[in-house]
Amino acid sequence: MRSLLSPPALKPGDRVAVVALSGSPGKQEVDLGLAALRSVGLVPEVFPSVRSVGPYPYLAADDKVRAEDLTRALGQPGYAAVFCARGGYGVQRVLELVDWQAIGAPQPRVVVGFSDVTALIEAVRTHLGWVSVYGPMVSSVMFRTGVPSFEGLARLLLTPEKVTELVFQDTRVLVPGIAEGVTVGGTAALIASSLGTSTSVPARDGILFLEDVAERNYRLDRVLTQLRRSGYLDGVRGILCGTWEDCGPLAEVEQLLADRLGDLGVPVLLGADIGHGVFMQSLPMGLRARLDTEAATLTFAEPALVAGE
Amino acid sequence: MRSLLSPPALKPGDRVAVVALSGSPGKQEVDLGLAALRSVGLVPEVFPSVRSVGPYPYLAADDKVRAEDLTRALGQPGYAAVFCARGGYGVQRVLELVDWQAIGAPQPRVVVGFSDVTALIEAVRTHLGWVSVYGPMVSSVMFRTGVPSFEGLARLLLTPEKVTELVFQDTRVLVPGIAEGVTVGGTAALIASSLGTSTSVPARDGILFLEDVAERNYRLDRVLTQLRRSGYLDGVRGILCGTWEDCGPLAEVEQLLADRLGDLGVPVLLGADIGHGVFMQSLPMGLRARLDTEAATLTFAEPALVAGE
């Protein structure tokens, strides 16, 4: 596959965009996240979607407002990063409206978020070819000064050359082995919800990351079965699973993962501290990496962001 | 599009297959449904999946057992119809295992079911080119002697020439008009769960039927948005919506339907008594039909099944 573009590393003084493409973030929670960004020297600009009201309780702002924010945050010069304020649902509505032709081919910048933002990370890769970061969102308790998940994210964004490997502490090996590929994936139900659209990124030649939240057993089965049946998993090199928060007893989830992912003939590691319900590590997406199930590590072939001017 | 094959009408004395491809049906409930089939002169044969135990609480039997049952019910001579015993989830796992080459091109027979069986109706159309019936399932309270939903189904299957039109009593017109096309669709989340697979049937040139159960507002939004973004809705001629059981307040659901389906430039009628939570009318799928929103009717260009030997 062609190489993706790694955005420049962030540096103190950089202006960064904060947008709400999905659910409505609380004002106090956003303010705490903004303080965290400022604590590492970044200069956050809050876009209108963050302080708006949407047409439905689950949308932070009108589709048009969210799409305008995203278009500007991705395309307008002067923003070194795009931080998503909250997850929930809504990115896919925005993707219907975004004018990628108008965005053109701007200077790469790092997009940060997870959960519903899975769909944006896919779209940014499809349309712009950028490496992104599957990481905590601004209004989350994970995005606070001094909290390991935020400190880890800041280290990745500001000193990417120091983050050469993720190490996982509490893993189970479903299928042992070593695999090399380009990181891809995210929240399983969101990946499935992109199938058939122009922004879906198949797992071929990839190290696929999967996690999810609040999907009952049969729903998770349906999602994984769709990934199998659609060819999404064809040619995948290895699989790393994160958290399955509120998806039922973990033993049952892992039985299902064994059933749906264990026969693909590739290494599968369970239990990474990435996803919902945990102080997550941030995972660069679109980056060449090596999964080692025995060592419980994911080692990157190069920095996620490129240092220096 | 090419014409689909209408199966022969059923007649008293016909042997019919009863299979459980999804969840496990209750024995007493199945027995009541079998009695209903016998009451109209049919000779039901209960396949092993109906009386089995599955690997997960939500599966009626092992995938292999369910796939063998489906293969035999569709392909083996001597069965005039295939009735599904229950919905839930599981058809898509079966579709991974079914050997369509082995089934070949048997004498058409009518497949009856809804909800999870949406995926089977799509697959039967894709692989065999048959008209099917979106109708009640054997273990359901709708499938009982004397109950209108069963009597309507029996009329459709045994005297299809008498069922030329469905009339809906409690409808709202979202977009007025008249549209002609081939019936397609089913439970919205199931349609979305087939996207990207070889058995998905796009709505092009179709009268699309949609209903769903137990999908929260943002989930239903995500499903409808995926249908939009994937091109599934491209070229649809008209849309008929059924019930939205346990999907939140109906007014909110219909606001969402207006949002996601109201701008397609085709007639849309809401409130058909087809789907979950209602004594449903049976809807032939794959049949040329005319939707008239003002009259609140769906008129068929030909019988769903062909009479005589």
Side-chain angles (χ1 to χ4, degrees), chain A residues 175-193:
Chain A
V175 180
I178 290 173
E180 294 188 351
V182 174
T183 51
V184 63
T187 304
L190 273 297
I191 296 169
S193 295

Side-chain angles (χ1 to χ4, degrees), chain A residues 55-56 58-59 63 88-89 92-93 95-96 189-190 192-199 214-215 217-219 221-222 225-226 228-231 255-256 259-260, chain B residues 55-56 58-59 63 88-89 92-93 95-96 189-190 192-199 214-215 217-219 221-222 225-226 228-231 255-256 259-260:
Chain A
Y56 306 118
Y58 53 86
L59 294 178
D63 292 346
Y89 166 74
Q92 280 140 328
R93 292 179 65 110
L95 293 179
E96 262 201 283
L190 273 297
S193 295
S194 288
L195 291 176
T197 77
S198 63
T199 57
E215 296 292 343
N217 47 15
Y218 77 92
R219 286 183 184 271
D221 190 327
R222 196 167 71 190
T225 299
Q226 186 175 14
R228 290 172 69 94
R229 293 187 64 228
S230 66
Q255 183 190 355
L256 181 63
D259 170 352
R260 302 280 80 188
Chain B
Y56 305 119
Y58 52 85
L59 295 178
D63 292 346
Y89 165 74
Q92 280 140 329
R93 292 178 67 110
L95 293 179
E96 262 201 284
L190 273 298
S193 294
S194 289
L195 291 175
T197 77
S198 63
T199 56
E215 295 294 343
N217 48 16
Y218 77 92
R219 287 183 184 269
D221 190 326
R222 196 167 72 190
T225 298
Q226 186 175 14
R228 291 172 67 94
R229 293 188 63 228
S230 66
Q255 183 190 356
L256 181 63
D259 171 352
R260 300 281 81 186

Side-chain angles (χ1 to χ4, degrees), chain B residues 21-128:
Chain B
L21 308 176
S22 318
S24 189
K27 184 175 184 317
Q28 288 188 315
E29 288 77 7
V30 169
D31 288 346
L32 288 168
L34 297 176
L37 287 171
R38 292 189 188 104
S39 76
V40 295
L42 299 174
V43 182
E45 179 177 322
V46 176
F47 278 45
S49 55
V50 178
R51 310 290 201 203
S52 188
V53 174
Y56 305 119
Y58 52 85
L59 295 178
D62 280 343
D63 292 346
K64 191 161 170 291
V65 170
R66 301 192 334 279
E68 283 170 358
D69 277 10
L70 179 61
T71 300
R72 191 155 65 87
L74 288 176
Q76 189 170 301
Y79 299 107
V82 181
F83 290 92
C84 295
R86 223 199 98 180
Y89 165 74
V91 165
Q92 280 140 329
R93 292 178 67 110
V94 170
L95 293 179
E96 262 201 284
L97 300 186
V98 168
D99 182 351
W100 296 97
Q101 297 288 343
I103 291 175
Q107 168 77 5
R109 58 201 74 186
V110 62
V111 172
V112 182
F114 77 114
S115 197
D116 192 47
V117 180
T118 297
L120 177 59
I121 290 174
E122 288 187 320
V124 160
R125 177 157 163 183
T126 309
H127 285 280
L128 300 169

